[in-house]
Amino acid sequence: MVKISLCMIVKNEEKYIEQCLRSVSSLVDEIIIVDTGSTDNTIELAKQFNPKVYQYPWENDFGKARNYSLAQATGQWILVLDADEALYLEDIQKLRGILKKTKANGIGLKFHNFIDEDSEENYNTHVGVRIFKNHYFHYDGVIHEQLVPNRKAIVINLETTDVRVRHYGYLKSNAGKKKRERNVPMIQKLLDQNPDDSFQLFNMGNEYMSDENYAKALYYFDKAYKNKDTSLAYCPHLIFRRAVCLNILNKDDESLLTLGEGIMLYPKCTDYEYLRGRIYKAHKQYSLAIASFEKCIAIGAAPPNLTFLSDTDGFRAYIELGHIYFLQDDFVNALSYYLKAVSIKSSHYELIYKIGAILNKLYLDKNMVAINLENLFADKYYINNVLVMVDILLNERLYKQAETYYARIQDKQGFLDDIHWLKGRILFYQKEYEKALDEFIKVLNSSSDKYLLPDVKRRSLEYAVICHLVAKQKGILGCQKEKVTHFIDTLSDISEQRILQYFVDKIDVTFECDEKTAIYRVLSEMLQIEAFELFEESLQILNRINSNEVLLDLANIYYVNGYKELAIKNIIRSMKELDVINANAVLILNKEFLLPEQ
């Protein structure tokens, strides 16, 4: 039986300590916790796992503290984790099997560094040697400490595995200033001693990158890059992060050069090619972008030490290819790649919305849109799937089909707000504004903030405003204004609040370009229900937007709602009166005048 010791150093880790220890409780035989000065509930929470706790005075030296923890271990193998890390429970048995058979003295684990507070699907990755034979290694370095053999006679023999570790330290809520205030002086002290230490320059760059100070991060990455050692494990990461910083700082030519060099040095690194494709796509160099994403698929999964992002060899590449072909109106190819992506991760409903939009463009028989959409789901009557299908059909203006699928909803207990939202929209498009408003008010009165469908509460208020305005024009429901204005006044989003206040009360206000989307969304719904008089009255809001592209934006509203002649007139008017045209307007003109009829 292999005995395993968990060794940790901690300080004020009450947020994650239980999760960490629970993840390894069935694996390790002893838990060594070296506490460097916790003042919170860390140790009390840890006691339920029967650890051996040692107090150790903090000396601004991670290596010393780690080595003290190793000295207490009695197991044949040592597992080192930080409190904000946790093993995937489903990988425990796999790890047991590896330790029984391996001839290595060190084991590399695959870390998922989460970057999204709300989802564990968004992460970057790295490999860390965190399991090793006792008495073989110690840590060297005051920060970003590295494992080194205890004796010259020990030959490092590592095995890289796909055993996964969750890491929450990169989340914005966790990667606080206190860590950087501690780390930066420690790294700077090392750089004062050796200004050309590429590894510590890389580490300093990482600190500033975590702080989103990309210019400062790039300064250090550039210095590290000049004397990089391609034989060391951090070098592929340095190349990738330098390229990312250059991209964020709009230095894409340099970023592409860096990625090109990276691909020459590490041709199996799929992520370099993926980032290159993203840059090409951003510059509308679609042929080059397509070639890059197809190459990602051809390369396949990179070795763990050359993997920084997740799923760039498949899922992410398929999505990017789908997006590009959609932009090019090549809906057949777009559909093909979106379907491939959904086959990998069927829970990504946002892709099903894209597929719904494509099906609506491909099929003249709109019943076929619904049938093909339905076929994407294994259980066609499962409440989550039905709600998504109805929402998509409403988005695609397929109201008859949406009503048919809405009738499938039987159990109304779990998703009441989503159901009221969909019912309200169905009534809205049936021009039953009084009944529709009642449904939207139910959503707005709800204390819940958990919805299956996107933007339920915010959009409910937008629709409620339109219902009120239409009813006001018809001389009914005048008393509903108080309810609507109450919900507007309690909005936490000040921008959305100002927009809706203008529609209701015509307040004296101006809007910035980044507020246009919500304004045009409301105008578009007015046009969709053929509330032409209200639409014309509301167009005064365009004069209050700080943009010279409002006529082009109005043209797009007309175009997506089927009023092509009005769209073209506004594009021409923008060109004549304002001397302004944009890429979307050019695309509309090309479609209407240059492309053959389908």
Side-chain angles (χ1 to χ4, degrees), residues 368-412:
M368 291 302 297
V369 176
I371 290 169
N372 278 277
L373 188 62
E374 180 182 26
N375 288 337
L376 294 173
F377 299 99
D379 185 345
K380 301 171 176 60
Y381 286 83
Y382 178 51
I383 182 69
N384 298 49
N385 298 340
V386 174
L387 292 173
V388 169
M389 281 192 280
V390 174
D391 197 36
I392 292 171
L393 292 169
L394 287 171
N395 287 354
E396 297 304 314
R397 314 302 190 188
L398 303 181
Y399 306 129
K400 178 183 174 183
Q401 289 78 8
E403 289 179 52
T404 299
Y405 282 87
Y406 182 84
R408 290 186 178 182
I409 299 172
Q410 300 298 325
D411 179 10
K412 299 187 178 182

Side-chain angles (χ1 to χ4, degrees), residues 190-191 193-201 223-224 227 234:
L190 294 171
L191 288 173
Q193 297 168 8
N194 183 2
D196 296 324
D197 185 335
S198 182
F199 180 59
Q200 295 305 337
L201 289 167
K223 294 184 77 171
N227 59 338
Y234 76 90

Side-chain angles (χ1 to χ4, degrees), residues 34-189:
V34 171
D35 182 51
T36 62
S38 292
T39 56
D40 66 359
N41 209 29
T42 299
I43 301 305
E44 285 302 311
L45 292 171
K47 282 182 179 178
Q48 61 187 292
F49 299 94
N50 300 315
K52 298 175 182 177
V53 179
Y54 301 86
Q55 297 298 323
Y56 185 83
W58 179 241
E59 301 179 64
N60 286 327
D61 191 321
F62 282 97
K64 280 187 178 181
R66 290 228 186 266
N67 289 332
Y68 181 78
S69 73
L70 302 188
Q72 317 311 315
T74 62
Q76 297 162 266
W77 288 88
I78 290 174
L79 167 64
V80 173
L81 288 177
D82 289 332
D84 59 5
E85 298 167 348
L87 284 177
Y88 279 79
L89 292 177
E90 53 267 39
D91 290 353
I92 294 289
Q93 283 303 112
K94 183 191 299 182
L95 181 55
R96 285 186 188 278
I98 291 168
L99 292 178
K100 284 180 182 179
K101 295 178 181 179
T102 188
K103 290 181 169 43
N105 50 30
I107 304 295
L109 306 180
K110 187 174 184 178
F111 284 74
H112 288 183
N113 305 304
F114 298 121
I115 55 178
D116 186 340
E117 301 280 352
D118 301 316
S119 172
E120 288 198 354
E121 289 195 5
N122 294 324
Y123 55 83
N124 55 50
T125 69
H126 76 275
V127 173
V129 179
R130 293 294 195 86
I131 302 182
F132 47 89
K133 285 191 173 180
N134 198 357
H135 308 302
Y136 275 61
F137 299 96
H138 67 276
Y139 282 99
D140 181 53
V142 298
I143 188 170
H144 300 294
E145 56 282 8
Q146 302 294 299
L147 275 178
V148 295
N150 285 343
R151 299 177 300 279
K152 289 183 179 179
I154 294 175
V155 177
I156 298 174
N157 181 13
L158 303 180
E159 179 179 343
T160 300
T161 72
D162 58 357
V163 173
R164 299 163 300 162
V165 179
R166 291 181 168 93
H167 178 215
Y168 299 92
Y170 286 2
L171 294 174
K172 284 188 177 180
S173 60
N174 299 326
K177 286 187 176 180
K178 286 186 178 180
K179 286 185 179 180
R180 288 187 286 280
E181 288 172 356
R182 176 198 67 194
N183 292 352
V184 168
M186 294 173 71
I187 299 171
Q188 187 58 57
K189 187 175 180 180

